[in-house]
């Protein structure tokens, strides 16, 4: 919340060029040719405008990994899982000889990747289940205090994008409800999303394991089971948006092919809509990748941006700052 | 929204004795002996109080059937399903000889009940799936316009409980977010819950079918599949609360054994909490039932109320009016 509160309505006058990405560039690029001098947000919030949207319908959805915080050199939650394997290894002597745990313990990413979806899922279930929801939230919170990003040597929650914090604040200042819709774990994000993004738990949507209600020592608890409940990625994102929100968003922000269907669901309909893709083009300040990677690949969604007039935010060109700590 | 808007902060002075059920009776009955002159809502909203709860944590959850609207002589959604069978019958000539559809078409409730959970589920899937989410919302909306309750001969949305509308408004006026957590269909409630209860779609939680994202004629849609996704009843309610809200409620309202675990999850923890059970004791104005019925049975939860100091609202004794249309 620290950086967000100060932004308010004066955002348009603020420093970040990022904002012109969608309040201006959408226009300049002809993405929304029916706008005159306007912008998406000012258009949908102008009473009397034919494109006016009542506050209740102002829903904006944001991917997390690569859209709100950095996802390179690998997803933060993967780093968490690898650390958890090390922490739990003493209780699992068999892991020394059992894949994918052996590879995880040895830091052998190639063998880990070769264990495939099944292997990765097994590692996630072994590290993300077998405790209550409250216990898991504490594990995540504690881990984030000490874990450091390998390149920036900072807590992962420092590596959120300042321009996107401003977008979140700007949308909320204009009556939008902002939701995270991420392939990442819903319970991995909730413990810190409110503090860092100003997004409360009930507006965080993500992948999940099954949980079971049970009584222990006369107290109710929710126990996390080693079984995938929902994979909130690709075509799963519109499904989860409908399940959790029950309204179709009017603005969507993503950065990879995992966000393609969410952007389609949001924008390919009647009425004024806004789609934006964060394009990682800045190897110096962050990372440069799109069609050339596996995790976080931006390929079909980049083609979709051209077809559907989604704004592409070029990190190198459009973002005056990337991370909050660059601001002095 | 019509009845709700007028209530506001003056509620304590309003006519409904219902409110004393939880602002007063909880005290009088010794349900919350640590209160002095206070009430649950005033206690948790009083800044500086040791029991003060920040607005973000003020989550109240409400069952729907039998708690916010009438569920006798049977769930409204069952009446909807039976009408849908009749509407769809011309496209399904085989239903004339196939159970449970034959029983549904003949109004033979005994045989329908004998088809068991499997039969009822089959009927629900046949009537609730096979269309887009938008199409289903329209079907529900259209049905509610013409359908009439068999005894009261009024639209079902007239048969909501005036005292509970006032509770919803009172909690919201005190900074609470109000959520529905119902065994009923999430997409069956959302089309009207905002208008009738002031509860937006993103705060409606319920049972659901699986949906599939797909493109049709170049437009994205969500298609409802004839497969149960989640049964939001009994031990499923705390699971769904965690999945959708990600916070533990501090107040819960129910009326049957289907709400037992939700009430336990909400109240059996540290801190000040509030649980309330609507007890249907008024055969004259509404219905009288508890341990003596199958659908909507109040048995274990009534025992739980005594053990856990949940307030029991006696409809006949505590509610000055039951339905909004009684007010002149």
């Amino acid at each position: 919340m620290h950086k967000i509160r100060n932004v308010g309505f004066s955002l348009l006058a603020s420093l970040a060029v990022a904002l012109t990405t969608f309040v201006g560039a959408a226009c300049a690029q002809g993405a929304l040719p029916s706008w005159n001098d306007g912008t998406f947000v000012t258009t949908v919030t102008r009473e009397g405008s034919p494109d006016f949207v009542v506050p209740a319908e102002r829903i904006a959805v944001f991917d997390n990994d690569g859209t709100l915080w950095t996802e390179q050199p690998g997803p933060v939650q993967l780093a968490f899982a690898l650390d958890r394997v090390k922490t739990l290894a003493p209780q699992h002597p068999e892991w020394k000889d059992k894949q994918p745990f052996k590879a995880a313990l040895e830091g052998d990413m190639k063998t880990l990747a070769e264990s495939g979806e099944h292997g990765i899922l097994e590692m996630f279930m072994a590290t993300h289940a077998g405790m209550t929801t409250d216990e898991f939230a504490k594990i995540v919170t504690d881990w984030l205090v000490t874990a450091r990003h390998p390149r920036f040597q900072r807590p992962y929650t420092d590596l959120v994008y300042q321009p996107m914090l401003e977008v979140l604040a700007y949308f909320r200042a204009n009556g939008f409800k902002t939701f995270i819709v991420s392939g990442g774990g819903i319970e991995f994000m909730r413990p810190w999303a409110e503090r860092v993004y100003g997004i409360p738990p009930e507006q965080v949507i993500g992948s999940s394991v099954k949980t079971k209600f049970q009584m222990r020592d006369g107290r109710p608890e929710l126990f996390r089971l080693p079984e995938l409940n929902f994979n909130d990625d690709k075509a799963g994102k519109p499904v989860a948006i409908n399940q959790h929100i029950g309204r179709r968003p009017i603005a969507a922000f993503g950065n990879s092919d995992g966000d393609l269907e969410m952007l389609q669901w949001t924008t390919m309909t009647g009425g004024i809509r806004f789609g934006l893709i964060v394009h990682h083009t800045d190897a110096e300040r962050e990372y440069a990748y799109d069609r050339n990677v596996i995790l976080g690949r931006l390929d079909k969604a980049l083609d979709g941006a051209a077809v559907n007039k989604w704004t592409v935010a070029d990190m190198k060109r459009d973002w005056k700052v990337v991370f909050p700590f660059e601001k002095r």
Side-chain angles (χ1 to χ4, degrees), chain A:
Chain A
M1 301 286 277
H2 49 299
K3 298 290 180 193
I4 293 173
R5 289 287 185 213
N6 301 325
V7 179
F9 288 89
S10 66
L11 188 75
L12 287 174
S14 87
L15 74 166
V17 178
L19 263 272
T20 61
T21 302
F22 72 95
V23 300
C27 241
Q29 294 168 3
L32 295 163
S34 64
W35 296 1
N36 290 318
D37 62 323
T39 68
F40 171 73
V41 171
T42 55
T43 300
V44 298
T45 57
R46 190 190 299 129
E47 294 211 38
S49 154
D51 295 313
F52 178 74
V53 176
V54 295
E57 298 281 351
R58 292 181 202 160
I59 303 290
V61 288
F62 296 80
D63 170 57
N64 183 43
D65 295 312
T67 299
L68 296 180
W69 77 353
T70 197
E71 65 176 348
Q72 298 294 348
V76 179
Q77 201 169 346
L78 178 61
F80 170 76
L82 291 170
D83 280 356
R84 285 280 297 157
V85 170
K86 293 191 185 98
T87 302
L88 295 171
Q91 299 160 46
H92 295 274
E94 76 279 11
W95 284 357
K96 281 203 304 285
D97 305 303
K98 190 186 170 193
Q99 297 297 7
F101 302 99
K102 183 171 185 287
L105 287 168
E106 293 168 354
D108 177 359
M109 293 300 106
K110 185 167 170 292
T111 303
L112 184 64
E114 283 165 7
S115 74
E117 259 185 47
H118 177 79
I120 301 287
L121 186 65
E122 190 182 354
M123 185 178 75
F124 268 77
M125 293 302 111
T127 52
H128 285 65
M131 72 291 280
T132 69
T133 50
D134 287 347
E135 287 162 356
F136 185 71
K138 186 176 183 318
I139 289 167
V140 171
T141 302
D142 290 348
W143 180 78
L144 283 170
V145 170
T146 55
R148 292 292 177 271
H149 186 279
R151 171 175 158 194
F152 296 101
Q153 289 301 314
R154 284 180 171 269
Y156 287 101
T157 47
D158 280 8
L159 299 170
V160 297
Y161 304 132
Q162 173 65 24
M164 294 306 294
L165 296 181
E166 293 169 7
V167 168
L168 287 168
Y170 177 66
F171 270 69
R172 287 196 291 262
N174 282 280
F176 278 77
K177 269 194 184 176
T178 53
F179 287 81
I180 291 174
V181 180
S182 169
I186 190 167
E187 307 247 39
F188 183 74
M189 296 179 285
R190 280 172 165 165
W192 52 272
E194 190 158 33
R195 174 176 59 84
V196 174
Y197 300 136
I199 297 181
E202 62 268 28
Q203 288 164 223
V204 175
I205 303 170
S207 298
S208 55
V209 297
K210 289 196 188 298
T211 61
K212 181 181 173 8
F213 175 86
Q214 60 189 30
M215 301 294 287
R216 183 165 60 174
D217 302 332
R219 291 238 167 177
E221 65 179 25
L222 288 170
F223 195 78
R224 291 169 59 84
L225 304 174
E227 187 184 346
L228 187 67
N229 177 57
F230 188 78
N231 183 15
D232 187 30
D233 199 24
K234 299 189 165 64
K237 290 200 174 192
V239 168
I241 287 169
N242 184 61
Q243 179 71 6
H244 284 255
I245 309 178
R247 301 191 203 260
R248 200 148 162 175
I250 64 169
F253 298 76
N255 80 299
S256 78
D257 285 1
D259 306 312
L260 175 64
E261 288 86 352
M262 175 170 81
L263 283 154
Q264 290 174 328
W265 175 241
T266 301
T267 63
M268 295 174 72
T269 179
I272 196 167
R273 296 289 183 272
F274 186 76
L276 184 142
I277 285 177
V278 174
H279 191 187
H280 294 263
T281 52
D282 195 331
E284 196 177 325
R285 292 186 300 171
E286 203 241 10
Y287 295 93
Y289 59 101
D290 44 36
R291 303 185 201 266
N292 56 329
V293 294
I294 293 173
L295 280 168
R297 177 178 289 169
L298 175 62
D299 182 29
K300 286 186 212 164
L302 199 54
D303 297 339
V307 175
N308 296 292
K309 315 288 188 201
W310 302 328
T311 298
V312 177
D314 181 317
M315 185 178 275
K316 187 169 186 172
R317 184 193 68 195
D318 295 332
W319 286 7
K320 196 162 185 170
V321 298
V322 175
F323 300 119
F325 56 79
E326 294 170 27
K327 291 171 65 180
R328 308 284 171 193

